[in-house]
Amino acid sequence: MTYGIPAGQPDEDVPVCPRHPARVSYVRCQRCGRPACPECQRPAAVGIQCVDCVRDAQRLTPATRTIFGGTVRQGKPLVTFSLIGACVALFLAQLAIPGVTDALAYAGIYTSGIVTPEPWRMITAAFLHSTGFLLHIGFNMYALWIIGQALEPLLGRARFLALYLIAAFGGSVAVLLLTNPLQGVVGASGAVFGLFGAMLIVQRRRGGDVRQLVVLIAINTVLGFVVSGISWQAHLGGLLAGSAAAAIIAYTPRSSKRSLIQWSGLAALTVILLVLAFVGASLVTFPA
């Protein structure tokens, strides 16, 4: 197998790679029979296949689904690690760049009509953490790492990410409705509590033992009320929103329309949270 057209030999008699006509190849694809240069060869069960046939086979082969309808992925839980990476990167930015926290933190005033609305803070605040208390980001990232590695493969990447963001948003909605509109909050705790609730729902749906999860959620919920500086409102909102999202995913019956029903349910849940946020913003009152 060589590269280039041999001198003195007619071009039409030389087997060349269709994707790279300047490359001669006497190795042919076992599926389509066309020559394939080394760059275009892919190992197959018998012999090799060209990249075009491999791509066509992947496109025509139905994706393997998880128990809850997500696409099965090989390797590490990419979304979980990406979320951790985003939180850590922003935490370092908070330490290094003045104003990052103020620009992305959340308080009720940012969704009220009294100041310019900045609703994106209801999500961005979930990627920030207290720079004066390292255990804040340490605990949240550890919990995300543990729960994410178990939950993401069960739900699939897209559903897991949607659930995480819905839980984070739900935590901010609860802060808007239940706390001082001037009190700023940061942290992934609401989203993490959403994952706790989701894991409880998923384990219950699978018939697993949920006692340890119930105890863990109960302990952390109580801490939100007895330890100063912890937003129990974000914990409660995240827990409820994450549990609701997980219930939609886990309890949708298997059918050809399962994905459509699941995503429609998650969209409806998001709309409900948006309505609650709008109502909450319209009712914001400021201390005298």
Side-chain angles (χ1 to χ4, degrees), residues 79-103:
V79 174
T80 296
F81 290 169
S82 297
L83 291 170
I84 293 174
C87 289
V88 171
L90 277 173
F91 182 74
L92 295 176
Q94 288 178 261
L95 294 173
I97 306 173
V100 169
T101 302
D102 291 339

PDB file of all heavy atoms in Angstrom, residues 79-103:
ATOM      1  N   VAL A  79     -21.298  15.604  31.613  1.00  0.00           N
ATOM      2  CA  VAL A  79     -22.041  16.767  32.105  1.00  0.00           C
ATOM      3  C   VAL A  79     -21.668  17.065  33.555  1.00  0.00           C
ATOM      4  O   VAL A  79     -21.448  18.215  33.932  1.00  0.00           O
ATOM      5  CB  VAL A  79     -23.552  16.543  31.967  1.00  0.00           C
ATOM      6  CG1 VAL A  79     -24.328  17.683  32.620  1.00  0.00           C
ATOM      7  CG2 VAL A  79     -23.933  16.431  30.495  1.00  0.00           C
ATOM      8  N   THR A  80     -21.591  16.033  34.365  1.00  0.00           N
ATOM      9  CA  THR A  80     -21.220  16.213  35.775  1.00  0.00           C
ATOM     10  C   THR A  80     -19.865  16.885  35.896  1.00  0.00           C
ATOM     11  O   THR A  80     -19.697  17.867  36.631  1.00  0.00           O
ATOM     12  CB  THR A  80     -21.196  14.859  36.499  1.00  0.00           C
ATOM     13  OG1 THR A  80     -22.517  14.302  36.503  1.00  0.00           O
ATOM     14  CG2 THR A  80     -20.715  15.011  37.927  1.00  0.00           C
ATOM     15  N   PHE A  81     -18.891  16.374  35.185  1.00  0.00           N
ATOM     16  CA  PHE A  81     -17.545  16.945  35.261  1.00  0.00           C
ATOM     17  C   PHE A  81     -17.506  18.356  34.679  1.00  0.00           C
ATOM     18  O   PHE A  81     -16.756  19.215  35.154  1.00  0.00           O
ATOM     19  CB  PHE A  81     -16.546  16.042  34.544  1.00  0.00           C
ATOM     20  CG  PHE A  81     -16.278  14.745  35.265  1.00  0.00           C
ATOM     21  CD1 PHE A  81     -15.582  13.721  34.661  1.00  0.00           C
ATOM     22  CD2 PHE A  81     -16.752  14.536  36.554  1.00  0.00           C
ATOM     23  CE1 PHE A  81     -15.329  12.520  35.325  1.00  0.00           C
ATOM     24  CE2 PHE A  81     -16.506  13.344  37.232  1.00  0.00           C
ATOM     25  CZ  PHE A  81     -15.793  12.332  36.612  1.00  0.00           C
ATOM     26  N   SER A  82     -18.319  18.603  33.653  1.00  0.00           N
ATOM     27  CA  SER A  82     -18.361  19.945  33.067  1.00  0.00           C
ATOM     28  C   SER A  82     -18.967  20.951  34.046  1.00  0.00           C
ATOM     29  O   SER A  82     -18.492  22.090  34.165  1.00  0.00           O
ATOM     30  CB  SER A  82     -19.169  19.928  31.770  1.00  0.00           C
ATOM     31  OG  SER A  82     -18.568  19.108  30.795  1.00  0.00           O
ATOM     32  N   LEU A  83     -20.012  20.552  34.766  1.00  0.00           N
ATOM     33  CA  LEU A  83     -20.619  21.433  35.761  1.00  0.00           C
ATOM     34  C   LEU A  83     -19.645  21.734  36.890  1.00  0.00           C
ATOM     35  O   LEU A  83     -19.530  22.876  37.343  1.00  0.00           O
ATOM     36  CB  LEU A  83     -21.895  20.788  36.320  1.00  0.00           C
ATOM     37  CG  LEU A  83     -23.080  20.688  35.364  1.00  0.00           C
ATOM     38  CD1 LEU A  83     -24.182  19.829  35.964  1.00  0.00           C
ATOM     39  CD2 LEU A  83     -23.612  22.074  35.008  1.00  0.00           C
ATOM     40  N   ILE A  84     -18.935  20.712  37.331  1.00  0.00           N
ATOM     41  CA  ILE A  84     -17.922  20.931  38.369  1.00  0.00           C
ATOM     42  C   ILE A  84     -16.838  21.869  37.850  1.00  0.00           C
ATOM     43  O   ILE A  84     -16.413  22.800  38.550  1.00  0.00           O
ATOM     44  CB  ILE A  84     -17.306  19.584  38.809  1.00  0.00           C
ATOM     45  CG1 ILE A  84     -18.353  18.734  39.532  1.00  0.00           C
ATOM     46  CG2 ILE A  84     -16.090  19.809  39.702  1.00  0.00           C
ATOM     47  CD1 ILE A  84     -17.885  17.331  39.867  1.00  0.00           C
ATOM     48  N   GLY A  85     -16.403  21.654  36.622  1.00  0.00           N
ATOM     49  CA  GLY A  85     -15.375  22.513  36.043  1.00  0.00           C
ATOM     50  C   GLY A  85     -15.832  23.959  35.938  1.00  0.00           C
ATOM     51  O   GLY A  85     -15.068  24.883  36.216  1.00  0.00           O
ATOM     52  N   ALA A  86     -17.094  24.169  35.548  1.00  0.00           N
ATOM     53  CA  ALA A  86     -17.629  25.530  35.441  1.00  0.00           C
ATOM     54  C   ALA A  86     -17.673  26.208  36.803  1.00  0.00           C
ATOM     55  O   ALA A  86     -17.320  27.391  36.936  1.00  0.00           O
ATOM     56  CB  ALA A  86     -19.016  25.492  34.812  1.00  0.00           C
ATOM     57  N   CYS A  87     -18.105  25.475  37.822  1.00  0.00           N
ATOM     58  CA  CYS A  87     -18.171  26.048  39.170  1.00  0.00           C
ATOM     59  C   CYS A  87     -16.783  26.392  39.695  1.00  0.00           C
ATOM     60  O   CYS A  87     -16.573  27.464  40.288  1.00  0.00           O
ATOM     61  CB  CYS A  87     -18.866  25.074  40.124  1.00  0.00           C
ATOM     62  SG  CYS A  87     -20.642  24.903  39.861  1.00  0.00           S
ATOM     63  N   VAL A  88     -15.841  25.505  39.485  1.00  0.00           N
ATOM     64  CA  VAL A  88     -14.472  25.762  39.955  1.00  0.00           C
ATOM     65  C   VAL A  88     -13.849  26.931  39.199  1.00  0.00           C
ATOM     66  O   VAL A  88     -13.191  27.792  39.792  1.00  0.00           O
ATOM     67  CB  VAL A  88     -13.614  24.487  39.800  1.00  0.00           C
ATOM     68  CG1 VAL A  88     -12.140  24.798  40.081  1.00  0.00           C
ATOM     69  CG2 VAL A  88     -14.107  23.396  40.733  1.00  0.00           C
ATOM     70  N   ALA A  89     -14.067  26.991  37.887  1.00  0.00           N
ATOM     71  CA  ALA A  89     -13.517  28.092  37.091  1.00  0.00           C
ATOM     72  C   ALA A  89     -14.082  29.433  37.546  1.00  0.00           C
ATOM     73  O   ALA A  89     -13.351  30.422  37.682  1.00  0.00           O
ATOM     74  CB  ALA A  89     -13.810  27.860  35.611  1.00  0.00           C
ATOM     75  N   LEU A  90     -15.381  29.484  37.798  1.00  0.00           N
ATOM     76  CA  LEU A  90     -15.990  30.731  38.254  1.00  0.00           C
ATOM     77  C   LEU A  90     -15.550  31.077  39.673  1.00  0.00           C
ATOM     78  O   LEU A  90     -15.413  32.253  40.019  1.00  0.00           O
ATOM     79  CB  LEU A  90     -17.514  30.640  38.180  1.00  0.00           C
ATOM     80  CG  LEU A  90     -18.109  30.921  36.799  1.00  0.00           C
ATOM     81  CD1 LEU A  90     -19.602  30.651  36.790  1.00  0.00           C
ATOM     82  CD2 LEU A  90     -17.838  32.354  36.369  1.00  0.00           C
ATOM     83  N   PHE A  91     -15.326  30.068  40.495  1.00  0.00           N
ATOM     84  CA  PHE A  91     -14.830  30.327  41.852  1.00  0.00           C
ATOM     85  C   PHE A  91     -13.443  30.973  41.798  1.00  0.00           C
ATOM     86  O   PHE A  91     -13.163  31.932  42.522  1.00  0.00           O
ATOM     87  CB  PHE A  91     -14.777  29.023  42.647  1.00  0.00           C
ATOM     88  CG  PHE A  91     -14.317  29.194  44.069  1.00  0.00           C
ATOM     89  CD1 PHE A  91     -15.155  29.765  45.017  1.00  0.00           C
ATOM     90  CD2 PHE A  91     -13.054  28.793  44.459  1.00  0.00           C
ATOM     91  CE1 PHE A  91     -14.741  29.922  46.332  1.00  0.00           C
ATOM     92  CE2 PHE A  91     -12.628  28.942  45.764  1.00  0.00           C
ATOM     93  CZ  PHE A  91     -13.473  29.513  46.707  1.00  0.00           C
ATOM     94  N   LEU A  92     -12.583  30.471  40.932  1.00  0.00           N
ATOM     95  CA  LEU A  92     -11.258  31.072  40.759  1.00  0.00           C
ATOM     96  C   LEU A  92     -11.381  32.487  40.208  1.00  0.00           C
ATOM     97  O   LEU A  92     -10.624  33.385  40.598  1.00  0.00           O
ATOM     98  CB  LEU A  92     -10.408  30.202  39.842  1.00  0.00           C
ATOM     99  CG  LEU A  92     -10.067  28.802  40.371  1.00  0.00           C
ATOM    100  CD1 LEU A  92      -9.292  28.004  39.319  1.00  0.00           C
ATOM    101  CD2 LEU A  92      -9.264  28.891  41.667  1.00  0.00           C
ATOM    102  N   ALA A  93     -12.353  32.690  39.298  1.00  0.00           N
ATOM    103  CA  ALA A  93     -12.577  34.032  38.762  1.00  0.00           C
ATOM    104  C   ALA A  93     -13.062  34.969  39.862  1.00  0.00           C
ATOM    105  O   ALA A  93     -12.678  36.149  39.903  1.00  0.00           O
ATOM    106  CB  ALA A  93     -13.593  33.973  37.626  1.00  0.00           C
ATOM    107  N   GLN A  94     -13.903  34.458  40.768  1.00  0.00           N
ATOM    108  CA  GLN A  94     -14.354  35.275  41.888  1.00  0.00           C
ATOM    109  C   GLN A  94     -13.185  35.739  42.742  1.00  0.00           C
ATOM    110  O   GLN A  94     -13.165  36.870  43.255  1.00  0.00           O
ATOM    111  CB  GLN A  94     -15.337  34.480  42.764  1.00  0.00           C
ATOM    112  CG  GLN A  94     -16.705  34.247  42.158  1.00  0.00           C
ATOM    113  CD  GLN A  94     -17.573  33.420  43.079  1.00  0.00           C
ATOM    114  OE1 GLN A  94     -17.705  32.201  42.896  1.00  0.00           O
ATOM    115  NE2 GLN A  94     -18.168  34.059  44.065  1.00  0.00           N
ATOM    116  N   LEU A  95     -12.212  34.843  42.924  1.00  0.00           N
ATOM    117  CA  LEU A  95     -11.049  35.180  43.730  1.00  0.00           C
ATOM    118  C   LEU A  95     -10.115  36.161  43.026  1.00  0.00           C
ATOM    119  O   LEU A  95      -9.497  37.016  43.669  1.00  0.00           O
ATOM    120  CB  LEU A  95     -10.268  33.905  44.082  1.00  0.00           C
ATOM    121  CG  LEU A  95     -10.963  32.885  44.994  1.00  0.00           C
ATOM    122  CD1 LEU A  95     -10.118  31.625  45.101  1.00  0.00           C
ATOM    123  CD2 LEU A  95     -11.215  33.480  46.376  1.00  0.00           C
ATOM    124  N   ALA A  96     -10.037  36.041  41.708  1.00  0.00           N
ATOM    125  CA  ALA A  96      -9.031  36.807  40.962  1.00  0.00           C
ATOM    126  C   ALA A  96      -9.551  38.113  40.369  1.00  0.00           C
ATOM    127  O   ALA A  96      -8.783  39.051  40.173  1.00  0.00           O
ATOM    128  CB  ALA A  96      -8.443  35.940  39.844  1.00  0.00           C
ATOM    129  N   ILE A  97     -10.848  38.165  40.076  1.00  0.00           N
ATOM    130  CA  ILE A  97     -11.397  39.319  39.351  1.00  0.00           C
ATOM    131  C   ILE A  97     -12.448  40.017  40.200  1.00  0.00           C
ATOM    132  O   ILE A  97     -13.516  39.439  40.456  1.00  0.00           O
ATOM    133  CB  ILE A  97     -12.015  38.889  38.008  1.00  0.00           C
ATOM    134  CG1 ILE A  97     -11.000  38.101  37.173  1.00  0.00           C
ATOM    135  CG2 ILE A  97     -12.519  40.102  37.235  1.00  0.00           C
ATOM    136  CD1 ILE A  97     -11.580  37.503  35.915  1.00  0.00           C
ATOM    137  N   PRO A  98     -12.208  41.216  40.631  1.00  0.00           N
ATOM    138  CA  PRO A  98     -13.214  41.948  41.412  1.00  0.00           C
ATOM    139  C   PRO A  98     -14.484  42.175  40.587  1.00  0.00           C
ATOM    140  O   PRO A  98     -14.425  42.471  39.402  1.00  0.00           O
ATOM    141  CB  PRO A  98     -12.513  43.277  41.724  1.00  0.00           C
ATOM    142  CG  PRO A  98     -11.051  43.004  41.560  1.00  0.00           C
ATOM    143  CD  PRO A  98     -10.947  41.969  40.483  1.00  0.00           C
ATOM    144  N   GLY A  99     -15.616  42.013  41.220  1.00  0.00           N
ATOM    145  CA  GLY A  99     -16.882  42.298  40.555  1.00  0.00           C
ATOM    146  C   GLY A  99     -17.579  41.106  39.957  1.00  0.00           C
ATOM    147  O   GLY A  99     -18.749  41.215  39.549  1.00  0.00           O
ATOM    148  N   VAL A 100     -16.922  39.950  39.868  1.00  0.00           N
ATOM    149  CA  VAL A 100     -17.557  38.777  39.277  1.00  0.00           C
ATOM    150  C   VAL A 100     -18.761  38.339  40.105  1.00  0.00           C
ATOM    151  O   VAL A 100     -19.843  38.067  39.571  1.00  0.00           O
ATOM    152  CB  VAL A 100     -16.550  37.617  39.132  1.00  0.00           C
ATOM    153  CG1 VAL A 100     -17.267  36.317  38.763  1.00  0.00           C
ATOM    154  CG2 VAL A 100     -15.513  37.944  38.072  1.00  0.00           C
ATOM    155  N   THR A 101     -18.577  38.292  41.421  1.00  0.00           N
ATOM    156  CA  THR A 101     -19.681  37.873  42.289  1.00  0.00           C
ATOM    157  C   THR A 101     -20.864  38.823  42.180  1.00  0.00           C
ATOM    158  O   THR A 101     -22.020  38.399  42.031  1.00  0.00           O
ATOM    159  CB  THR A 101     -19.205  37.786  43.747  1.00  0.00           C
ATOM    160  OG1 THR A 101     -18.114  36.864  43.839  1.00  0.00           O
ATOM    161  CG2 THR A 101     -20.335  37.305  44.653  1.00  0.00           C
ATOM    162  N   ASP A 102     -20.587  40.119  42.238  1.00  0.00           N
ATOM    163  CA  ASP A 102     -21.667  41.107  42.146  1.00  0.00           C
ATOM    164  C   ASP A 102     -22.388  41.039  40.800  1.00  0.00           C
ATOM    165  O   ASP A 102     -23.589  41.305  40.710  1.00  0.00           O
ATOM    166  CB  ASP A 102     -21.119  42.517  42.359  1.00  0.00           C
ATOM    167  CG  ASP A 102     -20.670  42.741  43.793  1.00  0.00           C
ATOM    168  OD1 ASP A 102     -21.129  41.990  44.674  1.00  0.00           O
ATOM    169  OD2 ASP A 102     -19.854  43.649  44.035  1.00  0.00           O
ATOM    170  N   ALA A 103     -21.670  40.675  39.754  1.00  0.00           N
ATOM    171  CA  ALA A 103     -22.257  40.650  38.416  1.00  0.00           C
ATOM    172  C   ALA A 103     -23.156  39.442  38.191  1.00  0.00           C
ATOM    173  O   ALA A 103     -24.060  39.493  37.347  1.00  0.00           O
ATOM    174  CB  ALA A 103     -21.154  40.669  37.365  1.00  0.00           C
TER     175      ALA A 103
END
